[in-house]
Structure formats: C-alpha cells, structure tokens
Amino acid sequence: MNDVEPTGPTDLAALAAGIERTNELLTRVLAEVATTPSTHAAFVDAGYVYAAAGRLVTGTEDRKAFDLDAEGIIEAFIDKARTIFPDSRLLRVYWYDGARRRIHTQEQQRIAELPDVKVRLGNLNANNQQKGVDSLIRTDLESLARHRAISDAVLIGGDEDLVSAVEAAQGYGARVHLWGIEAAGGRNQAEPLLWEVDSQRTFDLDFCKPYVSRRAGVDFGDPAAAEGPAPSREEVRFVGARVAAQWLAERGRGWVAELLPGHPYLPGTVDQELLTAAEALLRHSLRGRADLRRALRDGFWERVQGQY
C-alpha cells in the first residue's frame, strides 16, 4: 500500500517561495558579474625593453651607455593599456629583470617602490645574461590566468621561450596581447611568438625617445662602432652550423639526438648556450635580433639533421 501523502497547498507554497528566492539570488549574482570590470596585467621583460629601446634610440644595447627612465616608460605602458582596455582595471605591472644572486640594485629598488608594480628577479650570470626570467613570466602568467585573476595579459618581450607562457594562459581563457619596440634592422620578436598571441602592437622611436638618454661622457660615434657591423643572416646561419658540429664532436650524436623531437624549438638552457657560443664567435650581440637568432637556430638544426 502506498503511504506517500499527496503534496498539500502548504508544501507547494514553500516550494514556490524557495524557487523565487533562488531566482532572486541568481539575478543578484548575474548583475554583480555583469558590473564587475575585466582585469588586465602587464608582464614586462626588462631585458628586452632595455636592449630594444637602447638600440632604437642610441644604437647600443649596453646598459652602461644609456639611462632608461623606467618609471616613465612603465607609466606610458599603463596609459596605453587604459586606452586599449577602457572597461578593464589594472591588476599590476610585473617587471622582470636579472640581478646578481637576485639582490635588487638601487635602480630595481626604485622601480619596486612604484605603485602597482611588482619586480621579479632572475639571476645574472658571468656574461650579464638573464637566467630564469622566462620561467618567472610563465609561472605568473599561467597562475593568474588559471585563477581567473586576469582576462587580458599584455606581454612586452620577444623571446621564443615565451611561447609556452602564452599557450598556457590562453588555455585558461585569457587573451594575450604582445607589445614590442620597433627594430631598425628587422624584427626583434620571435616569429612563433607573433603567431601565437591574440594581438600585436609595436612602439616606434617617437614613443621610446623621451625615456632613453645617452650618458654623459660616453662617445657613441657610429652607433654600431662598439660592436662593428651586424652580421648577415648567412653569417649567423654558418655559425649556428659550426656550433652544432662542435657539439656533435664533443657531446656525441646521442645527446644531440635527444633534441630532435623538439624541432624547431630548443630547450631554454640549450638555446642560451647556443646564443652565448655564437656571440663569442661573431663578437657581436644578437640580443633583440629575433631574425638573427632564428637564422642561428636554422643553421644549428640544418647541421644536426644532416647527421641523421
């Protein structure tokens, strides 16, 4: 025998009241979501900014030869973001740089004291090359995107190693916008990075000039005199093949064969080794020259693949 009592008028009224309260709650939540502004953050590779802006304005990437008004250019980046994302609020600007033993320099301390700016430091090696900066950018960018802390990310840099950071953030629904600084002799941002981002923007000489000044007592003469003329793509390509041949002889085919599944990319540490070795042979910096770094990798891979 069925002992279930039929639903009475009182129960129906309670059910209807519960549904009405739920609908009111959902309405308030949706209204709050609709009025909550989107959020953006800027991720700035300081090494790229110094190198690209220094070369564009003064003809050299040597930080000792010029001063960069970091506070001014950071504020300019913030203002530009305000115009591009008018309905979005700034979370903060992340400023990634290198320092010996990750100890802030006086300049980095001043930058860290700026409002809405977070300084993140990688190491500097004996050749004044940044180590660990790309991994810091990836960690922050991925974490903020994963926790829905940002809807848009402005990435100011040019290294191919940042591709994985872009892909990770996009995988969590964030849009990534790549900003760069004009290069007089070609691109200074890796093509794979340009392919992956959602939008691109380049700042020209007029934008950068107010924030870069030559230091007194430094004789620039010919802007390229400190290093000599830039090598051609073919020269860099040849050096890439030369380094590959040397590594094949020193490290063996087995070690190099482990790199093949990653073609056309190289692990970050190997890519830095290749860059350092090539610059020593060329006696010329390839920093900020994505086109020449691409030629370097092409020469390296051609020689490696020719052995298998």
Side-chain angles (χ1 to χ4, degrees), residues 84-155:
I84 297 173
F85 312 112
D87 299 323
S88 176
R89 71 178 183 88
L90 172 69
L91 177 65
R92 68 181 58 90
V93 174
Y94 291 85
W95 182 266
Y96 300 89
D97 206 354
R100 304 283 184 193
R101 300 186 300 279
R102 292 193 172 94
I103 299 175
H104 291 68
T105 65
Q106 289 185 348
E107 181 182 20
Q108 290 163 347
Q109 289 175 8
R110 289 193 296 270
I111 296 171
E113 292 171 359
L114 298 175
D116 300 321
V117 176
K118 173 72 173 179
V119 172
R120 298 272 277 148
L121 297 179
N123 271 321
L124 277 182
N125 64 16
N127 296 318
N128 287 325
Q129 296 167 334
Q130 292 181 356
K131 294 292 184 181
V133 166
D134 290 342
S135 64
L136 289 174
I137 295 176
R138 179 193 167 99
T139 298
D140 291 339
L141 185 50
E142 181 176 357
S143 177
L144 292 174
R146 182 174 67 250
H147 293 291
R148 302 293 192 268
I150 56 173
S151 53
D152 293 271
V154 172
L155 179 60

Side-chain angles (χ1 to χ4, degrees), residues 43-55:
F43 304 81
V44 185
D45 181 348
Y48 168 82
V49 172
Y50 274 95
R55 178 165 289 279

Side-chain angles (χ1 to χ4, degrees), residues 235-296:
E235 289 173 320
V236 175
R237 200 183 192 101
F238 174 79
V239 167
R242 180 176 168 183
V243 173
Q246 180 180 346
W247 286 359
L248 280 164
E250 294 175 352
R251 307 180 186 189
R253 291 164 58 93
W255 180 86
V256 181
E258 294 177 359
L259 304 177
L260 290 173
H263 179 268
Y265 302 109
L266 285 169
T269 54
V270 177
D271 193 51
Q272 284 297 316
E273 283 187 86
L274 175 60
L275 178 63
T276 301
E279 288 178 334
L281 291 170
L282 291 164
R283 302 194 179 201
H284 196 285
S285 173
L286 302 182
R287 315 290 158 148
R289 290 297 304 272
D291 56 332
L292 294 183
R293 292 188 67 175
R294 168 64 66 181
L296 177 66

Side-chain angles (χ1 to χ4, degrees), residues 157-225:
D159 200 288
E160 188 170 330
D161 290 343
L162 296 174
V163 168
S164 61
V166 172
E167 292 174 335
Q170 290 172 330
Y172 290 109
R175 289 175 56 81
V176 182
H177 312 272
L178 182 65
W179 292 3
I181 293 172
E182 181 183 1
R187 289 178 173 174
N188 56 21
Q189 293 173 299
E191 287 185 346
L193 187 60
L194 294 167
W195 299 334
E196 292 298 330
V197 295
D198 296 293
S199 71
Q200 304 165 25
R201 182 175 296 271
T202 302
F203 297 107
D204 59 14
L205 177 62
D206 289 338
F207 177 90
C208 297
K209 201 168 184 179
Y211 311 110
V212 181
S213 58
R214 304 182 183 189
R215 286 186 178 169
V218 178
D219 182 13
F220 281 77
D222 179 3

Side-chain angles (χ1 to χ4, degrees), residues 26 63 124:
L26 287 173
R63 289 198 190 188
L124 277 182

